[in-house]
């Protein structure tokens, strides 16, 4: 029912652990069987280690949350040497989620990660939480295409470009990265948001702004997935507020070939497997042979 | 620790003081696995607009009855939601999580303020009564309701306004009690200024100090990096996973 | 405590009834004392009467809602002849919210509404729910400025330009309309969203897409109000998910001189007066003389 | 009608059939003001992620006891939320809203299907017993639980599967009963295909027909234009304000 081939990679289900909310996967090995996850997109990697932001990094908002982790990670090398070998003991496709502070860094990271054990590259051109960071690449079709091209040149892996919703026209960015050679796109990253403590008159977030995720953003995410899927011919990975199998189905109906689950894992560590089961039940209830039959069925 | 997810039935949920509630939940697997200093991450099932869990330290467990007890202060919407649940209703529990206190069989001091006293209750119950001295600080007499809950050798109390116990803050009496009890370790939990001061005094007295910290949390399970704090030597610690209990040296004296 | 002067108009409070959720005000005369409302922004007007969209127009989403009313309204003339005289019996400032299908229409409407009984023009360049409609003007700083100029040329009233959040860079639009002569800006209008019925595989909304409003969007709205208020020198009216006096205060701390309440009126017909009271209590609790003291205090 | 906002205490909330609940709420001001065909817009206070109210027709009122009664089907998250409330909990009521049925003192027919029968119950209670013939249609016998709730002259039932009453749909028996009772008006509420058919038959029999319609609602008070439908002569009607009860001529025969 759930088996899915995404950019040539066979996954046991179309439900992917989104980057940043599932650590490096290993943190969840005691909570669920990692071998049953569709794919794991690891915490966003940068070329050098990053300490992330100071101050408060998480804040709840109505049916959503803000985060400004700021890409804390041990850097690509430590990932490859210390973490990937452990991950490779599991039978689950790995997506390396990468963020560069300039275009060259994206190329270098792609080259370093063009190794066994990595199944996809997910190119984050949309993180709102780092200064002079990658969000800038994602809001402009030209620079988005440049990043895509340099990554493609440096890797043999399928390249998924992760788009930001903080744009006027998602279609122009989607079309630009497709033309630049992307093998797939994923969306949405978080919406730029802010919360203010009305008692202290200070921003809640250490970084002032944060990225909004969770059920609150789902209508925006579904709309953008729908628009992007209508415009491109490469597979789309949909995400933004998926909390249930029916939410996953909604994104697939909008045109997503696979989905990612982010914030839901913060609500429950077993969210991904729960959602996977619910999606399977949904498919059975609708008499499907494979869940892929619903992709793009909402016209 | 790897937490267990259990939908627990609430057995008791009543105020124990102004804006402070005690809740007892049936959650046998969590009760069995828990050690002092660990916490439970509660999901607010009844209101789905609150998507994040709320971390609350364990104040007591009863393995035979299969129950866990927490003591929590109404801090905002989430804890208010929790306070509105009645016995018989259910609550989503994920725990025990984190790294707890390192128990000692030497004389020890437990020093807490506010709801920070809660995890110390659990700790005291696992230590030899005659070894334990508890210091509780509060703004005023009504904040010292905890004293009845402890079954230990000695309890010393302080209040800012002198309405009960010694006038002053809890840390004021610490150095003296370390000396008089020959304590080998100080365990502390409470407001940041207080626990920092406690850690400094312990350091000055050359004994170890374990401190339970708070951070705004996302997952509670180490996956989101939402709760990260600075540790010694430029290290970053996850409060949910590497803590909430830390050696004070690691987190306060970082040079 | 609450008296506020906005673009030279004195209002009893900074809490305005947002356009589209308070009808023409008269619908609520039995629920609350219209004379206590800060100002009323009437349902969006077009030059000619509009029937609005067919099919389902409202859909609940997590902590939010989608709408695709499609600017149903009786047209400016009927508003002036049939509705305004009734509204004028109340002592409350009136904001005429106008949408044109081309730039000339904005000018014509401004001229027609340059009459007694109207206190502000609110120029909607951001409605996402009408085809070849006004959203297009709002996403581009150049056309946003053009609309602003033609309206200014045709009216003596203070001109508030209502911005859409569906843009990459809210600051560039805010700055452009300020330079074109706007006396104030209001934001946010709704975020473009979509919901799909996973049982019927059809979009929930009659118009496929709808505009997202309510608490779900508040973090995005606060962020945009903050960014815009930092960039312009004209007053900002903040809105998007205000459900309580503390929410209103959050927008004012972010830089809003006044706030509008939209979706909350759908939750409770007395929301505006309830929020006004709560804001007053908040101000008293903080020991303020006038609520205006908090405007922009979150730096 | 201008509704009254009342936080009402729930007195009764239990299933009356598969996926159908009856709720009785203490809301004296609403009970007093209500007329048959009007509805109450319920706020789901317990779960703040559900920001919109849910419109439910009044099925009964008791002015002396100060109560209102509704009968509702579990359709989705909102009604499921409502079904989980227990007696003693509160619910946010806004009503009565809308324009109700025009009562008649001539012989009349009330014809309903599904939960559309609910407002007809209220209407029947305000008419002269001997004037009223009720027709209830269901898919199968278990959907005809309504019959016990009516105290009228005559009840005719139909089921799609023939498991009770006459086999067929409710409208099948209408024309005959209009003739035999000499009814002056037909009141109807139920699934759209059913009420359309009813309206056509009434028209063919040259008697008037009032129909209670549903629409997905926002405010319920006429302010948002979320519930608008087409009326005769290109008119737009707000279901919440101009309805939910309409003359069938106005909404079905629009040419
Ligand atoms: C390991 C740990 C153990 C704790 N043990 C206890 C306890 O035993 N008793 C007790 O009363 N409280 C305890 N807390 C604090 C408790 O988690 C917060 O008071 C609670 O989450 C507030 O939720 P709220 O929705 O009511 O408040 P909100 O409206 O969300 O916030 C109110 C205040 O509480 C703080 N807060 C909110 N959420 C969190 C969070 N997830 N983590 C830390 N602080 C938060 C915020 O900084 C804010 O100032 C503990 C926190 C941690 C991290
Ligand atoms: C004037 C009026 C009177 C009504 N009277 C009754 C009654 O007496 N008993 C009863 O069981 N139901 C009645 N309904 C229908 C009832 O309002 C919906 O079933 C209910 O709102 C569904 O809410 P939900 O969250 O459970 O479902 P959702 O998950 O929101 O939706 C489930 C289904 O219910 C429909 N629905 C949802 N919300 C509304 C809404 N606001 N208005 C209309 N349809 C909606 C949707 O179209 C959807 O197909 C009435 C509706 C109206 C407009
Ligand atoms: C705490 C947190 C950290 C995140 N970190 C990353 C990251 O490192 N790289 C990335 O591409 N996206 C990151 N995201 C975005 C998510 O992968 C996802 O795109 C977004 O949260 C929307 O999905 P959701 O609503 O299911 O969470 C992060 C999100 C959260 C909540
Ligand atoms: C049902 C509905 C109708 C609306 N119609 C209009 C309109 O006609 N003109 C306009 O400028 N904004 C319109 N809006 C947008 C609101 O005025 C407001 O900008 C937006 O909803 C955000 O605020 P809120 O979250 O408080 O609703 C409408 C919103 C809703 C929900
Ligand atoms: S709360 Fe997620 S890592 Fe600690
Ligand atoms: S529901 Fe708002 S006008 Fe009818």
């Amino acid at each position: 029912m759930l088996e899915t081939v995404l950019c040539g990679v066979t996954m046991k289900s179309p439900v992917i652990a989104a980057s940043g909310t599932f650590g490096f996967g290993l943190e969840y090995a005691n909570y669920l069987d990692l071998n049953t996850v569709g794919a794991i997109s690891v915490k966003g990697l940068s070329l050098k280690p990053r300490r992330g932001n100071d101050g408060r990094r998480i804040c709840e908002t109505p049916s959503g949350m803000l985060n400004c982790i700021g890409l804390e990670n041990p850097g690509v090398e430590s990932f490859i040497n210390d973490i990937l070998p452990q991950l490779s003991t599991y039978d689950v496709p790995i997506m390396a989620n990468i963020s560069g502070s300039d275009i060259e860094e994206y190329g270098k990271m792609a080259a370093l990660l063009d190794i066994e054990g990595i199944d996809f590259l997910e190119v984050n051109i949309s993180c709102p939480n780092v200064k002079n960071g990658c969000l800038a690449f994602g809001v402009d079709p030209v620079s988005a295409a440049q990043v895509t091209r340099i990554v493609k040149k440096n890797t043999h892996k399928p390249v998924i470009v992760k788009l930001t919703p903080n744009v006027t026209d998602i279609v122009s960015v989607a079309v630009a990265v497709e033309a630049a050679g992307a093998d797939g796109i994923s969306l949405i990253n978080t919406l730029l948001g802010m919360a203010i403590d009305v008692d202290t008159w200070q921003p809640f977030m250490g970084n002032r702004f944060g990225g909004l995720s969770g059920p609150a953003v789902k209508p925006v995410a579904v709309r953008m997935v729908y628009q992007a899927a209508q415009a491109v011919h490469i597979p789309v990975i949909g995400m933004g507020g998926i909390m249930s199998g029916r939410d996953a189905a909604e994104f697939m109906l909008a045109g997503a070939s696979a989905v990612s689950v982010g914030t839901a894992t913060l609500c429950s560590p077993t969210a991904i497997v729960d959602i996977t089961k619910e999606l399977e039940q949904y498919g059975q209830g609708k008499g499907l042979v494979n869940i892929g039959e619903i992709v793009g069925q909402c016209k | 620790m790897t937490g267990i997810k259990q939908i627990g039935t609430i057995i008791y949920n009543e105020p124990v003081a102004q804006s402070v509630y005690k809740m007892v939940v049936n959650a046998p697997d969590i009760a069995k696995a828990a050690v002092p200093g660990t916490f439970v991450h509660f999901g607010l099932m009844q209101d789905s607009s609150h998507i994040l869990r709320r971390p609350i330290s364990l104040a007591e467990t009863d393995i035979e009855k299969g129950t866990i007890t927490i003591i929590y202060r109404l801090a905002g919407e989430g804890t208010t939601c929790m306070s509105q649940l009645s016995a018989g209703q259910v609550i989503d529990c994920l725990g025990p999580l984190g790294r707890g206190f390192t128990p000692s069989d030497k004389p020890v001091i437990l020093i807490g303020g506010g709801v920070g006293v809660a995890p110390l209750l659990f700790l005291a119950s696992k230590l030899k009564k005659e070894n334990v001295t508890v210091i509780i600080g509060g703004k005023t007499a009504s904040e010292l309701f905890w004293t009845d809950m402890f079954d230990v050798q000695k309890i010393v109390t302080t209040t800012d306004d002198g309405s009960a116990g010694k006038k002053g803050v809890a840390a004021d009496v610490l150095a003296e009690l370390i000396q008089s009890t020959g304590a080998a370790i100080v365990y502390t939990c409470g407001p940041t200024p207080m626990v920092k001061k406690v850690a400094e005094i312990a350091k000055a007295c050359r004994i170890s100090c374990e401190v339970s910290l708070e951070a705004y949390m996302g997952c509670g399970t180490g996956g989101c990096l939402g709760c990260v704090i600075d540790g010694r030597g430029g290290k970053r610690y996850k409060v949910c996973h590497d803590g909430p209990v830390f050696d004070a040296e690691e987190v306060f004296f970082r040079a």
Side-chain angles (χ1 to χ4, degrees), chain A, chain B:
Chain A
M1 168 64 73
L2 295 182
E3 194 176 277
T4 299
V5 179
L6 186 70
C7 305
V9 179
T10 302
M11 312 196 305
K12 286 173 205 129
S13 102
V15 184
I16 300 168
S19 177
T21 49
F22 202 66
F24 290 105
L26 304 166
E27 292 86 344
Y28 290 89
N30 285 330
Y31 285 100
L32 49 85
D33 182 357
L34 293 180
N35 298 311
T36 63
V37 175
I40 296 174
S41 181
V42 299
K43 174 63 196 169
L45 299 167
S46 49
L47 190 58
K48 300 271 164 259
R50 285 184 63 99
R51 296 178 54 74
N53 289 318
D54 291 320
R56 193 187 273 186
R57 293 177 167 190
I58 296 264
C59 167
E60 191 181 72
T61 67
S63 294
M65 61 172 283
L66 291 169
N67 90 81
C68 62
I69 309 298
L71 279 181
E72 174 176 340
N73 80 93
V76 170
E77 273 184 49
S78 165
F79 169 71
I80 293 174
N81 298 328
D82 308 331
I83 299 167
L84 191 58
Q86 297 177 64
L87 263 182
S88 298
T89 63
Y90 296 94
D91 175 27
V92 54
I94 300 298
M95 226 176 237
N97 180 281
I98 60 172
S99 293
S101 47
D102 56 40
I103 292 194
E104 284 67 41
E105 276 193 18
Y106 279 102
K108 282 187 203 149
M109 294 173 78
L112 287 169
L113 289 160
D114 196 22
I115 54 178
E116 223 190 289
I118 302 292
D119 297 283
F120 304 89
L121 288 184
E122 185 173 44
V123 185
N124 183 358
I125 53 170
S126 48
C127 180
N129 295 325
V130 293
K131 280 182 196 107
N132 47 25
C134 49
L135 179 57
F137 299 116
V139 297
D140 170 25
V142 176
S143 58
Q146 277 174 342
V147 173
T148 308
R149 267 191 299 270
I150 196 160
V151 171
K152 276 299 283 183
K153 222 168 41 194
N154 284 281
T155 187
H156 297 87
K157 312 286 176 189
V159 172
I160 315 281
V161 181
K162 184 159 178 183
L163 308 184
T164 171
N166 300 296
V167 295
T168 306
D169 180 14
I170 194 74
V171 166
S172 64
V173 187
V175 167
V177 302
E178 178 183 39
D183 300 293
I185 55 175
S186 59
L187 69 169
I188 59 173
N189 208 315
T190 53
L191 276 163
L192 195 60
M194 180 181 192
I196 297 170
D197 185 331
V198 297
D199 289 319
T200 64
W201 300 6
Q202 296 297 312
F204 265 109
M205 296 275 93
N207 203 34
R208 187 174 281 135
F209 298 155
L212 183 65
S213 63
V217 309
K218 189 175 60 128
V220 174
V222 170
R223 183 263 296 180
M224 288 194 167
V225 165
Y226 178 90
Q227 290 179 315
Q230 304 258 317
V232 300
H233 306 280
I234 49 179
V236 175
I237 302 174
M239 73 192 91
I242 295 177
M243 303 294 276
S244 69
R246 287 170 70 88
D247 291 341
E250 189 175 355
F251 279 88
M252 297 185 79
L253 287 163
S257 302
V259 297
S260 291
V261 171
T263 302
T265 295
L266 274 57
C267 309
S268 170
T270 57
I272 290 173
V273 293
D274 298 340
I275 291 169
T276 304
K277 275 185 214 133
E278 289 165 12
L279 184 62
E280 181 163 24
Q281 280 158 13
Y282 170 85
Q284 283 160 350
K286 296 287 170 227
L288 308 177
V289 174
N290 184 280
I291 194 71
E293 293 162 40
I294 68 170
V295 174
Q297 285 307 310
C298 174
K299 310 281 176 183
Chain B
M1 298 183 76
T2 299
I4 300 153
K5 206 184 145 184
Q6 280 198 307
I7 305 296
T9 302
I10 295 168
I11 290 170
Y12 179 91
N13 190 29
E14 302 289 339
V16 291
Q18 169 91 42
S19 298
V20 180
Y21 277 68
K22 174 173 166 175
M23 186 191 281
V24 181
V25 183
N26 188 270
D29 299 342
I30 296 176
K32 208 178 290 171
V35 299
T38 58
F39 67 95
V40 172
H41 217 19
F42 290 96
L44 307 171
M45 316 165 59
Q46 278 80 5
D47 187 335
S48 57
S49 80
H50 293 295
I51 65 163
L52 294 182
R53 291 171 175 269
R54 301 299 194 270
I56 308 280
S57 294
L58 285 163
E60 193 187 319
T61 60
D62 188 324
I63 300 181
E64 273 169 37
K65 293 194 187 141
T67 58
I68 57 174
T69 299
I70 56 168
I71 296 177
Y72 62 99
R73 189 178 62 86
L74 302 191
E77 290 184 18
T79 42
T80 303
C81 259
M82 286 172 63
S83 72
Q84 285 159 357
L85 298 172
S86 0
Q89 287 190 274
V90 291
I91 187 162
D92 176 0
C93 310
L94 173 68
L97 295 173
R99 201 187 71 110
F101 294 104
T102 320
S104 163
D105 45 18
K106 308 216 178 82
V108 301
I109 293 179
L110 279 52
I111 173 166
V115 283
V117 180
L120 303 180
L121 266 178
F122 190 11
L123 177 61
S125 75
K126 298 285 174 192
L127 299 173
K128 283 206 209 85
K129 220 166 139 144
E130 57 275 19
N131 279 344
V132 179
T133 302
V134 172
I135 311 174
I136 299 175
K139 284 200 201 73
T140 185
S142 64
E143 290 188 8
L144 301 179
F145 59 89
W146 303 94
T147 49
D148 300 342
M149 303 179 183
F150 281 95
D151 177 20
V152 296
Q153 172 94 340
K154 187 174 178 183
I155 302 192
V156 178
T157 56
T158 66
T159 52
D160 296 359
D161 63 3
S163 56
K166 213 177 131 86
K167 186 176 161 109
V169 298
D172 293 347
V173 299
L174 179 60
E176 201 188 296
L177 282 165
I178 290 176
Q179 240 128 39
S180 64
T181 60
I185 179 165
V186 175
Y187 303 101
T188 186
C189 184
T192 309
M194 176 195 131
V195 294
K196 281 202 171 151
K197 205 158 169 190
V198 166
E200 271 160 27
I201 294 170
K203 193 178 170 73
C205 297
R206 291 163 203 263
I207 67 168
S208 21
C209 177
E210 283 193 344
V211 45
S212 176
L213 296 184
E214 289 198 3
Y216 208 87
M217 285 187 185
C219 64
T221 52
C224 76
L225 303 174
C227 63
V228 165
I229 56 160
D230 284 313
R232 197 148 56 166
K235 238 188 112 133
R236 291 281 210 185
Y237 285 120
K238 299 178 198 170
V239 173
C240 71
H241 180 262
D242 307 320
V245 176
F246 294 92
D247 186 328
E249 290 283 332
E250 284 296 312
V251 291
F252 288 149
F253 311 109
R254 299 197 297 265

